[in-house]
Amino acid sequence: MENKAESLMGHGSFWLPRSASTVSDNTDLLYNVIMWGSTLLFIAIIAVGIYFVIKYRRTSANMKAEKHVIHNTTLELSWTIIPLILVMIIFVWGYKDYLKLSIPPADSMVINVTGKKWFWQFNYPKEGKNMLNEVVVPQGRPVKLVMTSEDVIHSFYVPNFRVKKDVVPNRYSIVWFEAKDTGVFQVFCTEYCGDGHSGMMATLRVLSQSDYDKWLVESELSEDIPLDQLGKKLFETKACVTCHSVDGSAKVGPTWKGLFGHHVDLANGQSVEADENYLRESMVAPNAKVVKGFAPVMPTYAGLLKDKEIAALIEYIKTLK
Ligand code: CUA
């Protein structure tokens, strides 16, 4: 979270995090006009109210001058027409921005997004890349996200881009943005989706076009490190961290500390030794052996982890004594 949080909060205003997409400045301007406009009107109405309370308070002079006003056409028209004009300005402005946000440019690059308890999966159909909880996009190019959910309703939210959209099972929802700056931004899930909801976050990295092209090539090679270190990286990037701890504390799932080689009590009353085969099975068929005291909520990682990655995670678990 360190550098992510810094990037998320850094350089923003008191009200809003840094605006980093081509549409977010419009959204912020409308927000500021509505907020400061309402604030000014509020202060003006209260000021006039206080002034009238004092000026027309009950005194003998005021009582003598008292006149009963029953109708005032000018007043009625002005308090109807002036607010109508203000509201219509906000409506037309908001509707135009809404259309801009809803229609992705025709030359957008497409990334498929799947929300799942409790991680985000990103699939680049053209580039053939698959990523978990991390997405990399080029700066200055419109990106269209075609999103769906494999289980419950999630919501994809990037505060810095001012885009948010529900991610719903059995249909696609679309969101698009064009990043105007490079940087690291946080993706949140903003629809309560169960125990791991608050940990359902992804990192959105914006690279310059040339760095992005380099990344496309290099990320293929970056796995050439010792297996346990690769496993440690995967623990974060493949979202294991959302539900498992490595310090012995229980989260949604059992901790990985001291797991390897020890006996595990299962929900069905049996017990198994946590060896390589048990760990592998727990990743690809997590409901085959559910640990006692835990709900069978882990999604299968079959197809999401390559063989080498499964081996790397096992090596990492072995180091957690
Ligand atoms: Cu997914 Cu909350």
Side-chain angles (χ1 to χ4, degrees):
M1 279 297 294
E2 325 75 48
N3 60 345
K4 292 179 211 164
E6 192 270 326
S7 172
L8 177 63
M9 302 310 295
H11 324 291
S13 68
F14 174 76
W15 306 102
L16 297 163
R18 174 160 71 104
S19 139
S21 87
T22 50
V23 291
S24 49
D25 285 342
N26 288 336
T27 309
D28 289 6
L29 182 61
L30 179 55
Y31 167 80
N32 281 319
V33 166
I34 293 174
M35 186 182 68
W36 292 115
S38 309
T39 308
L40 274 178
L41 283 174
F42 174 76
I43 292 171
I45 289 166
I46 295 296
V48 171
I50 291 172
Y51 172 72
F52 283 170
V53 163
I54 294 166
K55 179 159 187 216
Y56 298 109
R57 69 190 185 281
R58 197 181 172 103
T59 61
S60 48
N62 276 345
M63 297 272 282
K64 258 179 232 156
E66 196 174 309
K67 250 197 326 184
H68 283 284
V69 180
I70 292 163
H71 188 79
N72 187 320
T73 309
T74 321
L75 203 58
E76 299 240 354
L77 283 177
S78 50
W79 80 42
T80 308
I81 291 171
I82 294 172
L84 181 70
I85 292 172
L86 291 178
V87 168
M88 287 314 286
I89 290 174
I90 293 170
F91 170 73
V92 173
W93 188 345
Y95 187 65
K96 280 183 151 175
D97 278 358
Y98 174 76
L99 285 183
K100 242 182 264 168
L101 274 170
S102 309
I103 305 168
D107 59 340
S108 300
M109 125 183 199
V110 175
I111 300 176
N112 294 331
V113 180
T114 308
K116 200 169 169 178
K117 287 195 281 184
W118 287 282
F119 50 79
W120 296 101
Q121 214 176 311
F122 299 94
N123 174 273
Y124 295 61
K126 280 226 175 96
E127 294 79 359
K129 281 196 169 297
N130 264 303
M131 304 216 287
L132 273 186
N133 278 356
E134 195 193 9
V135 58
V136 178
V137 299
Q139 173 198 9
R141 234 175 105 189
V143 176
K144 173 180 167 185
L145 303 179
V146 180
M147 310 186 293
T148 191
S149 164
E150 281 190 13
D151 37 46
V152 297
I153 301 177
H154 303 276
S155 185
F156 184 92
Y157 178 36
V158 188
N160 296 84
F161 292 173
R162 317 286 191 260
V163 293
K164 177 157 84 172
K165 194 93 178 213
D166 275 11
V167 177
V168 182
N170 296 319
R171 59 176 296 175
Y172 296 111
S173 40
I174 308 285
V175 102
W176 81 274
F177 57 82
E178 181 180 327
K180 58 176 186 179
D181 301 318
T182 58
V184 182
F185 305 103
Q186 185 81 63
V187 177
F188 290 99
C189 176
T190 41
E191 182 65 54
Y192 182 68
C193 53
D195 283 358
H197 160 72
S198 59
M200 189 171 165
M201 295 191 284
T203 308
L204 192 154
R205 259 199 302 153
V206 182
L207 301 177
S208 65
Q209 185 67 50
S210 61
D211 283 347
Y212 175 77
D213 293 336
K214 252 188 255 163
W215 170 81
L216 276 180
V217 184
E218 275 170 8
S219 57
E220 301 291 337
L221 310 168
S222 67
E223 289 176 8
D224 289 333
I225 52 175
L227 271 188
D228 59 329
Q229 284 176 35
L230 175 62
K232 189 175 179 181
K233 257 175 66 180
L234 295 169
F235 173 70
E236 305 262 347
T237 57
K238 300 289 179 182
C240 316
V241 60
T242 310
C243 300
H244 298 282
S245 79
V246 293
D247 62 2
S249 59
K251 288 167 93 172
V252 176
T255 184
W256 286 5
K257 187 185 161 96
L259 173 62
F260 188 79
H262 286 82
H263 279 278
V264 176
D265 291 327
L266 301 179
N268 64 8
Q270 295 174 333
S271 94
V272 287
E273 188 192 326
D275 59 4
E276 284 90 344
N277 275 317
Y278 166 77
L279 294 177
R280 183 190 179 88
E281 183 184 51
S282 298
M283 294 176 210
V284 296
N287 289 340
K289 295 192 176 73
V290 176
V291 179
K292 194 177 165 189
F294 294 92
V297 293
M298 171 153 165
T300 171
Y301 273 75
L304 294 176
L305 292 173
K306 294 177 224 153
D307 275 353
K308 185 183 174 186
E309 293 173 326
I310 292 176
L313 282 166
I314 293 174
E315 286 309 311
Y316 176 52
I317 292 172
K318 283 181 186 172
T319 66
L320 304 166
K321 296 204 174 91

